[in-house]
Amino acid sequence: GVYFGRTRHEVGGERFFAEFLSSIADSPIVVRAGQVYRTRRWIDGQTRTADVVMALVSPDKAIVSIITITADVGTQVAISYDIRHIQSIEGTNLYTYERFAVGTLIFTTILFLFCLYRALQRWTPKGERIRAVADCGIAGTVLVFVGLRWNS
């Protein structure tokens, strides 16, 4: 459908109508395709929730903060908020991170192979083989985790 001259958006399986806050907060009307909309009617009887999402950027600190304020509209209005900070890794820190990740992959691969070797040896006591298998599982989990983080 269309609301205030805008079509619905779908993100993450949720459908909603999006609007710039300044469009409805700084002006008494919005005109779209020749149609006049009174901004004080933007929240109506069918509104269940209203989210205000702000993205704040600090280029010198290489960080983005996303603030979401949610108003659940029902018989009473309940307000909640969420703040997320996302920092990028750049320059020397990125180089250090990559070297650390490569070192972790190499070390964990060696550990995994050693544990696998120990688990497969017939002369290794049964209790030691069980521990070796558990160590292989832990090392394998670290390998998968670091590998997935490396690709993202």
Side-chain angles (χ1 to χ4, degrees), residues 118-119 121-133:
R118 205 174 68 189
Q121 294 303 310
R122 296 206 182 274
W123 50 265
T124 304
K126 186 176 182 177
E128 281 293 314
R129 275 188 277 174
I130 291 171
R131 272 184 286 210
V133 169

mmCIF file of all heavy atoms in Angstrom, residues 118-119 121-133:
data_model
loop_
_atom_site.group_PDB
_atom_site.id
_atom_site.type_symbol
_atom_site.label_atom_id
_atom_site.label_comp_id
_atom_site.label_asym_id
_atom_site.label_seq_id
_atom_site.Cartn_x
_atom_site.Cartn_y
_atom_site.Cartn_z
ATOM 1 N N ARG A 118 47.329 -37.287 17.874
ATOM 2 C CA ARG A 118 47.298 -37.906 19.198
ATOM 3 C C ARG A 118 46.057 -38.789 19.372
ATOM 4 O O ARG A 118 46.117 -39.856 19.965
ATOM 5 C CB ARG A 118 47.315 -36.810 20.265
ATOM 6 C CG ARG A 118 47.866 -37.275 21.577
ATOM 7 C CD ARG A 118 47.998 -36.161 22.539
ATOM 8 N NE ARG A 118 46.647 -35.709 22.889
ATOM 9 C CZ ARG A 118 46.378 -34.626 23.581
ATOM 10 N NH1 ARG A 118 47.334 -33.864 23.997
ATOM 11 N NH2 ARG A 118 45.135 -34.297 23.842
ATOM 12 N N ALA A 119 44.917 -38.336 18.827
ATOM 13 C CA ALA A 119 43.668 -39.091 18.972
ATOM 14 C C ALA A 119 43.698 -40.386 18.159
ATOM 15 O O ALA A 119 43.053 -41.369 18.529
ATOM 16 C CB ALA A 119 42.489 -38.234 18.542
ATOM 17 N N GLN A 121 46.433 -42.276 17.459
ATOM 18 C CA GLN A 121 47.493 -43.207 17.851
ATOM 19 C C GLN A 121 46.931 -44.320 18.729
ATOM 20 O O GLN A 121 46.250 -44.051 19.711
ATOM 21 C CB GLN A 121 48.602 -42.462 18.594
ATOM 22 C CG GLN A 121 49.335 -41.475 17.728
ATOM 23 C CD GLN A 121 49.948 -42.140 16.502
ATOM 24 O OE1 GLN A 121 50.629 -43.153 16.598
ATOM 25 N NE2 GLN A 121 49.675 -41.572 15.345
ATOM 26 N N ARG A 122 47.252 -45.556 18.398
ATOM 27 C CA ARG A 122 46.749 -46.701 19.160
ATOM 28 C C ARG A 122 47.406 -46.779 20.536
ATOM 29 O O ARG A 122 46.806 -47.279 21.471
ATOM 30 C CB ARG A 122 46.975 -47.984 18.391
ATOM 31 C CG ARG A 122 46.197 -48.025 17.101
ATOM 32 C CD ARG A 122 45.921 -49.478 16.711
ATOM 33 N NE ARG A 122 45.213 -49.527 15.445
ATOM 34 C CZ ARG A 122 43.906 -49.437 15.338
ATOM 35 N NH1 ARG A 122 43.168 -49.293 16.389
ATOM 36 N NH2 ARG A 122 43.323 -49.510 14.161
ATOM 37 N N TRP A 123 48.631 -46.325 20.675
ATOM 38 C CA TRP A 123 49.343 -46.412 21.952
ATOM 39 C C TRP A 123 48.867 -45.373 22.957
ATOM 40 O O TRP A 123 49.190 -45.448 24.125
ATOM 41 C CB TRP A 123 50.859 -46.300 21.763
ATOM 42 C CG TRP A 123 51.287 -45.132 20.921
ATOM 43 C CD1 TRP A 123 51.536 -45.143 19.588
ATOM 44 C CD2 TRP A 123 51.491 -43.790 21.353
ATOM 45 N NE1 TRP A 123 51.889 -43.891 19.140
ATOM 46 C CE2 TRP A 123 51.865 -43.045 20.220
ATOM 47 C CE3 TRP A 123 51.387 -43.129 22.581
ATOM 48 C CZ2 TRP A 123 52.136 -41.677 20.279
ATOM 49 C CZ3 TRP A 123 51.669 -41.776 22.613
ATOM 50 C CH2 TRP A 123 52.035 -41.073 21.481
ATOM 51 N N THR A 124 48.069 -44.401 22.491
ATOM 52 C CA THR A 124 47.562 -43.380 23.400
ATOM 53 C C THR A 124 46.463 -43.996 24.259
ATOM 54 O O THR A 124 45.547 -44.632 23.734
ATOM 55 C CB THR A 124 46.989 -42.185 22.602
ATOM 56 O OG1 THR A 124 47.992 -41.689 21.730
ATOM 57 C CG2 THR A 124 46.504 -41.084 23.512
ATOM 58 N N PRO A 125 46.553 -43.842 25.597
ATOM 59 C CA PRO A 125 45.490 -44.375 26.465
ATOM 60 C C PRO A 125 44.118 -43.794 26.078
ATOM 61 O O PRO A 125 44.017 -42.682 25.561
ATOM 62 C CB PRO A 125 45.899 -43.908 27.861
ATOM 63 C CG PRO A 125 47.343 -43.563 27.766
ATOM 64 C CD PRO A 125 47.599 -43.172 26.353
ATOM 65 N N LYS A 126 43.068 -44.574 26.347
ATOM 66 C CA LYS A 126 41.708 -44.185 25.945
ATOM 67 C C LYS A 126 41.311 -42.810 26.488
ATOM 68 O O LYS A 126 40.750 -41.995 25.773
ATOM 69 C CB LYS A 126 40.710 -45.245 26.396
ATOM 70 C CG LYS A 126 39.313 -44.975 25.899
ATOM 71 C CD LYS A 126 38.367 -46.088 26.274
ATOM 72 C CE LYS A 126 36.995 -45.806 25.711
ATOM 73 N NZ LYS A 126 36.057 -46.875 25.988
ATOM 74 N N GLY A 127 41.610 -42.539 27.754
ATOM 75 C CA GLY A 127 41.268 -41.242 28.342
ATOM 76 C C GLY A 127 41.957 -40.090 27.618
ATOM 77 O O GLY A 127 41.376 -39.035 27.401
ATOM 78 N N GLU A 128 43.202 -40.305 27.220
ATOM 79 C CA GLU A 128 43.942 -39.277 26.476
ATOM 80 C C GLU A 128 43.342 -39.065 25.089
ATOM 81 O O GLU A 128 43.296 -37.952 24.586
ATOM 82 C CB GLU A 128 45.419 -39.676 26.340
ATOM 83 C CG GLU A 128 46.246 -39.420 27.563
ATOM 84 C CD GLU A 128 46.395 -37.936 27.848
ATOM 85 O OE1 GLU A 128 46.688 -37.160 26.918
ATOM 86 O OE2 GLU A 128 46.198 -37.553 29.014
ATOM 87 N N ARG A 129 42.893 -40.168 24.469
ATOM 88 C CA ARG A 129 42.275 -40.044 23.140
ATOM 89 C C ARG A 129 40.986 -39.245 23.219
ATOM 90 O O ARG A 129 40.699 -38.437 22.352
ATOM 91 C CB ARG A 129 41.998 -41.425 22.550
ATOM 92 C CG ARG A 129 43.208 -42.002 21.835
ATOM 93 C CD ARG A 129 42.861 -43.249 21.120
ATOM 94 N NE ARG A 129 42.935 -44.303 22.137
ATOM 95 C CZ ARG A 129 42.593 -45.549 21.936
ATOM 96 N NH1 ARG A 129 42.122 -45.933 20.791
ATOM 97 N NH2 ARG A 129 42.707 -46.431 22.898
ATOM 98 N N ILE A 130 40.207 -39.452 24.268
ATOM 99 C CA ILE A 130 38.960 -38.692 24.434
ATOM 100 C C ILE A 130 39.277 -37.209 24.594
ATOM 101 O O ILE A 130 38.644 -36.355 23.978
ATOM 102 C CB ILE A 130 38.146 -39.240 25.634
ATOM 103 C CG1 ILE A 130 37.622 -40.635 25.303
ATOM 104 C CG2 ILE A 130 37.004 -38.286 25.987
ATOM 105 C CD1 ILE A 130 37.001 -41.356 26.472
ATOM 106 N N ARG A 131 40.283 -36.903 25.406
ATOM 107 C CA ARG A 131 40.689 -35.500 25.567
ATOM 108 C C ARG A 131 41.217 -34.930 24.256
ATOM 109 O O ARG A 131 40.977 -33.778 23.927
ATOM 110 C CB ARG A 131 41.732 -35.363 26.661
ATOM 111 C CG ARG A 131 41.086 -35.175 28.017
ATOM 112 C CD ARG A 131 42.130 -34.943 29.029
ATOM 113 N NE ARG A 131 42.739 -36.268 29.204
ATOM 114 C CZ ARG A 131 43.291 -36.722 30.292
ATOM 115 N NH1 ARG A 131 43.417 -35.951 31.307
ATOM 116 N NH2 ARG A 131 43.758 -37.924 30.375
ATOM 117 N N ALA A 132 41.948 -35.735 23.492
ATOM 118 C CA ALA A 132 42.483 -35.283 22.208
ATOM 119 C C ALA A 132 41.348 -34.968 21.239
ATOM 120 O O ALA A 132 41.404 -33.980 20.499
ATOM 121 C CB ALA A 132 43.418 -36.332 21.622
ATOM 122 N N VAL A 133 40.316 -35.806 21.245
ATOM 123 C CA VAL A 133 39.152 -35.546 20.379
ATOM 124 C C VAL A 133 38.469 -34.246 20.807
ATOM 125 O O VAL A 133 38.090 -33.419 19.968
ATOM 126 C CB VAL A 133 38.167 -36.736 20.405
ATOM 127 C CG1 VAL A 133 36.853 -36.368 19.739
ATOM 128 C CG2 VAL A 133 38.787 -37.951 19.730
#
